[in-house]
Amino acid sequence: MAESDGVEKRSRGRRRTTLADVARHVGVSSMTASRAITKPELVTPALREQIAKAMEELGYVPNRAARALASSRSKVISVLIPSFSNAVFTDVLAGLQDAVDKDGYQVLIGNTRYSDEEEEKLVGIHLQSNPDGVILTGLAQSKRVRQMLAASAIPTVSMMDLPSEPGQYGVGLSQFDAGYTLTRYLIDKGYRRIGFIGAQLDERTLKRAEGYRAALQEAGMYSPAREILDPHPSTVALGAELLGRLLAVAPDCDAAFCCNDDLAYGAIYQCQRRGIAVPAQMGICGFNDLPQSAWMVPSLTTISTPRYRVGFEAASLLKQLINGVQPARSVIDLGFTLMARESA
Amino acid sequence: MAESDGVEKRSRGRRRTTLADVARHVGVSSMTASRAITKPELVTPALREQIAKAMEELGYVPNRAARALASSRSKVISVLIPSFSNAVFTDVLAGLQDAVDKDGYQVLIGNTRYSDEEEEKLVGIHLQSNPDGVILTGLAQSKRVRQMLAASAIPTVSMMDLPSEPGQYGVGLSQFDAGYTLTRYLIDKGYRRIGFIGAQLDERTLKRAEGYRAALQEAGMYSPAREILDPHPSTVALGAELLGRLLAVAPDCDAAFCCNDDLAYGAIYQCQRRGIAVPAQMGICGFNDLPQSAWMVPSLTTISTPRYRVGFEAASLLKQLINGVQPARSVIDLGFTLMARESA
DNA sequence: CTGAAAGCGCTTACAG
DNA sequence: CTGAAAGCGCTTACAG
């Protein structure tokens, strides 16, 4: 009858197969079954095989929550990135996954949307899962985030930038140097009134801007009037708009350093719509070297950043810390490459 | 001494604050403390406040693993997407997160890389976390994946396509109809020898191709010679290459239906490099309407797909299933929009 | 190489 | 509205 179904005890429902079920099936204790998974070399081959067969037959699926609770190792790595729509961070994620997959880690991904508040919230939430390690983007975490992480005593590695404080672990590149290098290239190419277009205004953009300024000041060509900084997220549309704004306030510009490739695409499209020849009348360069940059017309001069490797190396470094291995270096500088192409 | 430190018991080390600690601090039982979190309306306001204060003071962080184990609800949703580098899926992810964040779910993201094998592996791994629900991309899961999911009896929703089998839940759009519509548009525009450029060859691409064929056959304009299908992942570079191949085998083509925007960008760049005017000599259209498509020169004619909403609605549907609510519809068709722009 | 006992930190299902 | 008991499914730390 339907009614009696309603009163059924939880124990009557179909229950997942547990390690105890497997052990019973084979006629061993649960810890032998447990060991057959975690430390197979400690179990007689014959038994090991029987246990494996039983697991297969009974459709055993380990329960991560139980394992985490008992062992106090969650096998979870928490990763916080500022954006999903920026290809830079999905590349980083790919490297990270690849570095960590075979070790049985589960990657918990949080999107901070470039917000300190969101980051705090996410750290709090991720901490509930007792991650074995945490990977952060950038170095500009709020005090509260630092505190929470310090209190939890969980190994932490930061990505993209190079930490300068002792005790901090990080993998990335010097955003300042890259900005400087690209600007220096433009100067050497003969550009004299070089503008800067930056959006989002996150730490990396600001450091690239500093590199830009340093190079121009050194060459005696710096003018603050040629800097367009906008807090909105970087998009192609915004790049088009900001190039317009740059030309409105500084019509004599002969080049624009766009703080990422998306903005640069927009800037180039804007030039094309206005009949401004790139690079003849206006040099345009970007930052990051997204796949498209080599193919567009004109191809984009930009800085290639080792995003996949940043993710991979950050995860490798974190694994060492988790396992109590003292890493060779606490800061890994992966560098960058100037890609001189047609647009500047 | 260093030696005595080495022998310290696990219990001596700094231990995380538990619910019992909080309860003791306030002088109540652990379940009252537990209830203060999960069902605050069942706890006297005064007590509730004391407990909240104690949690704050002691820096209490709930242990998800313990909660999951005790309650047999993990508050985890498993999501499988085929790619991180395709903006389509990161948009879907954004919608999904937004639909699910405030409900306290943790989203476990798996990247199948368009591989059945990877998908099987990931389902197995994710099942270890006892997800309350699963979200899959597409309908072409392997038999083994279906079995695992069926055996686990976990609610499942699929994204992007429209399931036709009864009992399946899904949110998406008709890829066939969209392919048909776009091709019909090209015919109406006066194009007569329309090629097709497809990569990756996943289910969605193949369905768009079918729509393309149906429209052309109906109009008596179909020629298999004008179909270029390549199994490699879609990239701008590949788009450029495939347009070259299309023109090599079918130099009379007057338009190309590219099965996504990335390929279309490459195709347009290829035309630009070869001095082929778009759309005058060659119409080019894409699929998905990525942000850039409206801004490039020429702007791209394409199909706009409601990716964010697909993620959002799929998660909403899944939440209903998890909560035992019978959803109004098991299949939600979100449709698509033809964006007629400059390139065709 | 194998096992009996205890416990990880919560929540469920009762009672009161 | 509050609590004592039991248990979720594993692993740890001993023994043997």
Side-chain angles (χ1 to χ4, degrees), chain B residues 9-341:
Chain B
K9 300 267 180 54
R10 191 190 182 197
S11 53
R12 244 202 66 199
R14 187 172 45 181
R15 223 201 37 187
R16 244 172 95 143
T17 310
T18 68
L19 211 45
D21 296 330
V22 173
R24 205 174 306 121
H25 192 82
V26 178
V28 295
S29 70
S30 330
M31 45 247 44
T32 300
S34 168
R35 267 192 288 257
I37 302 178
T38 54
K39 303 192 170 181
E41 68 280 9
L42 292 183
V43 178
T44 316
L47 257 189
R48 210 191 301 159
E49 213 166 295
Q50 282 184 65
I51 294 171
K53 221 185 93 201
M55 289 183 171
E56 182 64 39
E57 273 179 41
L58 303 178
Y60 172 68
V61 177
N63 184 324
R64 262 185 113 92
R67 180 179 293 178
L69 189 56
S71 70
S72 71
R73 304 194 88 225
S74 63
K75 279 286 183 176
V76 163
I77 290 179
S78 155
V79 178
L80 264 33
I81 56 171
S83 159
F84 266 129
S85 51
N86 187 332
V88 168
F89 300 108
T90 50
D91 287 347
V92 161
L93 240 31
L96 228 145
Q97 291 277 176
D98 284 350
V100 123
D101 264 2
K102 59 204 71 176
D103 300 285
Y105 286 100
Q106 196 88 85
V107 176
L108 218 54
I109 305 170
N111 179 0
T112 68
R113 304 169 197 214
Y114 289 101
S115 149
D116 277 8
E117 225 174 296
E118 280 290 330
E119 187 165 46
E120 281 180 25
K121 221 189 293 179
L122 283 166
V123 167
I125 290 173
H126 280 198
L127 248 26
Q128 300 185 354
S129 298
N130 246 310
D132 293 337
V134 174
I135 296 184
L136 262 22
T137 301
L139 304 166
Q141 276 70 37
S142 74
K143 204 162 281 179
R144 202 164 143 55
V145 163
R146 288 174 187 291
Q147 279 172 203
M148 292 170 83
L149 256 14
S152 70
I154 296 172
T156 301
V157 170
S158 99
M159 297 188 296
M160 302 314 289
D161 270 309
L162 301 175
S164 47
E165 285 172 46
Q168 279 197 288
Y169 294 91
V171 178
L173 57 120
S174 169
Q175 305 285 339
F176 177 93
D177 288 358
Y180 180 94
T181 299
L182 186 51
T183 310
R184 195 59 246 173
Y185 164 85
L186 291 172
I187 296 169
D188 292 345
K189 265 273 183 172
Y191 293 104
R192 286 298 167 264
R193 293 170 307 280
I194 305 168
F196 185 91
I197 289 177
Q200 191 67 61
L201 310 187
D202 56 283
E203 351 162 24
R204 288 165 292 290
T205 294
L206 297 178
K207 287 183 185 167
R208 290 169 202 164
E210 280 172 31
Y212 154 86
R213 270 174 224 129
L216 286 186
Q217 278 163 350
E218 218 177 83
M221 299 176 186
Y222 178 65
S223 159
R226 291 194 279 260
E227 271 187 31
I228 305 286
L229 299 177
D230 188 291
H232 293 98
S234 291
T235 59
V236 172
L238 186 60
E241 185 196 322
L242 296 187
L243 186 89
R245 267 162 56 190
L246 177 62
L247 291 181
V249 300
D252 64 342
C253 267
D254 57 7
F257 177 153
C258 303
C259 81
N260 67 40
D261 281 7
D262 285 308
L263 293 174
Y265 301 157
I268 288 181
Y269 297 146
Q270 183 67 277
C271 289
Q272 290 177 165
R273 294 232 177 265
R274 297 188 177 196
I276 300 170
V278 176
Q281 298 174 59
M282 171 77 79
I284 300 279
C285 62
F287 201 104
N288 276 325
D289 196 20
L290 301 185
Q292 189 175 158
S293 300
W295 292 92
M296 71 184 302
V297 181
S299 61
L300 185 68
T301 292
T302 188
I303 294 280
S304 167
T305 50
R307 306 178 292 273
Y308 177 92
R309 283 194 62 215
V310 165
F312 194 95
E313 296 298 335
S316 304
L317 181 55
L318 185 65
K319 283 193 290 181
Q320 295 188 297
L321 296 173
I322 290 174
N323 296 323
V325 177
Q326 182 56 41
R329 290 165 301 166
S330 59
V331 175
I332 300 176
D333 183 353
L334 258 22
F336 55 85
T337 311
L338 173 65
M339 308 302 283
R341 292 198 279 240

